[in-house]
Amino acid sequence: MCGIFGYVGKRVDAGRVVIRGIKNLEYRGYDSWGIARMIDGSIAVEKNIGKIGAVNPESFSDVCSLAIAHTRWATHGGVTVANAHPHLSQDGSIAVVHNGIIENFQALRSELEKKGYVFQSETDTEVICHLLQEEMKSAKSFADAARAACRRFDGWYAFAAMNTGTHELVAARRGSPLIVGIGKGETFIASDIPAFMEHTRTVNYLDNGEMIVTNGERTTFLSIENGKEIKKRNVEITWDREQAEKGEYEHFMLKEIMDQKESIRRAVNQDEEQIQTIADAIRDAKGTFLSGCGTAGKVCMAAEYFFSVIAKHHVNYAPSSEFPLYHHFLLPESLLIVVSQSGETVDVLEAMETAKKKGAKVLAIVNAEGSSIHRLADYTLLINAGPERAVASTKAATGQMAVLLLIAYALKKRLNEGRQVLLEAAEQTNDMLNPRYLTHIEGIADRLKRHENLYIIGKSWNYPMALESAIKIQEVSYVHAEGFAGGELKHGPIALIQKGTPCIALLGNDEVKMDTLSNTIELRARGAHTIGIAPEKNEAFDEWIRVPDAGTAQAIVNVIPVQILAYYLALKRGLDPDMPRNLAKSVTVK
Ligand code: BG6
């Protein structure tokens, strides 16, 4: 996924505005960046390889009141200046920034090449600006040309474009997110809200198949299908900007880990009636499926245990990228529960489409209010974690698990008991997250920093947390970490263990504690250096990280010290934990 930002209005420092804006979207992709500004009636483009973070917005203060910018996560075409956005049309009159994939770009490219257009890049995006130029030949306006072009595109996209002939921004979306910031006599367009929150809290969301044309004073929403105007209601954003900032912390990842002192409690603060309605819907459904990607997927796996152990209720987990293959099992009476932090992950949106095509209902558990998944679901629960900017998901994961645990208890009509268990865990987490605890784990990271392999074991809901722990460590430290169900060790993975191999064991005071302890002892017998994450110390551990005894909420507290370990491993290995290589905060392309 990439980040796009656009501004049109009466300000004369639009260049500075869009550079500041796109810097707030850097977590969406940081392979290259670029800006296009309308200066004295012609378009000036500047683009570079690398992160926009270090760029000084003040160096873009030429008089300009219309500009677009982009930060790239490369999918089509390598990381080169030519492939960086914005892309210009052949005659230089149109500039485009784009997030998503135009799937039929090769066909469009060869059609345009036959018409004499010469392509400068390997990207799919470049077909947009050349096709816009082509459509302008017969269109009655720039917006009209954009609509005609959109009707030729297959795939998921969000793009913003400007044209020398008009003081207008045109933008369109199908699939990839695009939000409009409404100011006084000025309009902002961005992939996400934090990008323009310093200017306005009044937003409007472009829905799928919609486009806008705006000159800052007048903003019109149009249907791409029939060109008709769409009346849309503005929304006021409630969360404050500080929540989206690093505050006293050096990195968003550590700030968001520490936010869990409060975010778990906020996740528990759900409307009781709605939770019960959802629990009843699960009880009455003919087959309930859980689905998500990455960390959210591991959260779904943990929820399978919550529903089984607490509610004695069978639910099925499937990774969203695989879910469309499950359509055979879907009935109109089925229920799909999707979990997503960003609410924009394309594989999750496709899973929802699969379920809806079968007439099944969809419950979404999301963090990003107003996101596509939030707006497309039949039922929605917000986890109230506040903006999560670090690529590695932390506070969203524990918030998602808290909501799913609450639902499991509601399924057994024990909602208050569930709330108590979670509020207790939130209190314990608040106590646990203190500087001495961080220093203890930092010390362990220092001793592990030279290891290139690390294994994590767990049973019951600690098994998916072993998998999530592996993702966290892989994502930010690039250590080859792998998670296993404790009992699976003997059936292969134990062959990987040699003297000093670091192995983490996740435990709780539950019925599988002794099993995991004996698995840990087996690892130690093969020379492993064992790190126990458990309520009590045990001689099976070479190192111990204490966690509270949180009962059925153990998975929620157990993953937090691994988040901290991953953070310090990244620092000790000289890496930026907020922007790991090759990753993006949410993947809006297939
Ligand atoms: C990946 C992120 O791109 O998407 C992960 O790097 C995240 O952290 C995964 O877990 C799923 O994202 P989301 O927003 O759907 O929860």
Side-chain angles (χ1 to χ4, degrees), residues 484-559:
F484 304 111
E488 284 304 306
L489 270 180
K490 297 185 280 302
H491 309 295
I494 201 160
L496 299 166
I497 307 303
Q498 46 193 335
K499 185 144 184 38
T501 305
C503 292
I504 296 173
L506 302 175
L507 295 96
N509 287 341
D510 50 28
E511 73 271 9
V512 294
K513 175 182 176 183
M514 296 320 291
D515 294 356
T516 310
L517 273 177
S518 57
N519 296 145
T520 312
I521 293 164
E522 285 154 18
L523 283 170
R524 206 145 177 241
R526 305 291 168 189
H529 176 75
T530 58
I531 297 134
I533 294 183
E536 275 106 37
K537 198 169 184 154
N538 189 286
E539 60 203 24
F541 309 151
D542 293 301
E543 312 224 43
W544 174 46
I545 299 175
R546 191 186 78 73
V547 284
D549 177 357
T552 53
Q554 199 67 44
I556 296 175
V557 296
N558 276 12
V559 76

Side-chain angles (χ1 to χ4, degrees), residues 334-496:
S334 302
L335 177 70
L336 170 64
I337 304 176
V338 294
V339 179
S340 172
Q341 187 290 124
S342 63
E344 298 293 352
T345 301
V346 70
D347 289 327
V348 178
L349 285 162
E350 290 226 330
M352 293 172 77
E353 221 168 87
T354 304
K356 283 183 176 277
K357 276 203 196 113
K358 286 290 186 108
K361 286 271 184 288
V362 178
L363 158 68
I365 297 176
V366 289
N367 189 35
E369 188 174 3
S371 60
S372 308
I373 291 174
H374 178 199
R375 289 179 285 122
L376 291 171
D378 303 292
Y379 312 98
T380 300
L381 291 171
L382 291 172
I383 65 168
N384 314 316
E388 191 178 69
R389 306 270 299 264
V391 168
S393 185
T394 52
K395 62 179 179 176
T398 50
Q400 291 156 355
M401 283 194 278
V403 171
L404 286 158
L405 195 70
L406 212 51
I407 297 171
Y409 272 95
L411 252 173
K412 270 292 181 220
K413 303 274 182 218
R414 294 158 55 198
L415 182 53
N416 287 339
E417 183 191 338
R419 185 175 283 117
Q420 279 323 308
V421 165
L422 285 161
L423 290 175
E424 178 68 23
E427 192 54 41
Q428 292 167 322
T429 300
N430 186 30
D431 299 344
M432 177 172 89
L433 287 172
N434 58 58
R436 215 157 33 78
Y437 194 69
L438 297 188
T439 309
H440 171 57
I441 298 175
E442 184 178 6
I444 296 175
D446 199 47
R447 290 188 284 283
L448 296 183
K449 67 184 178 217
R450 287 188 188 73
H451 287 274
E452 292 306 329
N453 299 293
L454 187 156
Y455 304 103
I456 308 107
I457 61 167
K459 280 182 79 69
S460 175
W461 37 60
N462 277 311
Y463 163 43
M465 286 308 105
L467 298 175
E468 167 52 13
S469 301
I471 290 183
K472 277 291 101 34
I473 293 168
Q474 291 163 359
E475 276 182 317
V476 296
S477 73
Y478 312 157
V479 169
H480 169 227
E482 256 187 276
F484 304 111
E488 284 304 306
L489 270 180
K490 297 185 280 302
H491 309 295
I494 201 160
L496 299 166

Side-chain angles (χ1 to χ4, degrees), residues 228-241:
K228 289 214 172 67
E229 181 167 353
I230 304 165
K231 290 283 173 237
K232 300 192 59 125
R233 203 172 43 74
N234 291 345
V235 179
E236 285 304 313
I237 295 298
T238 51
W239 41 268
D240 62 39
R241 201 163 136 244

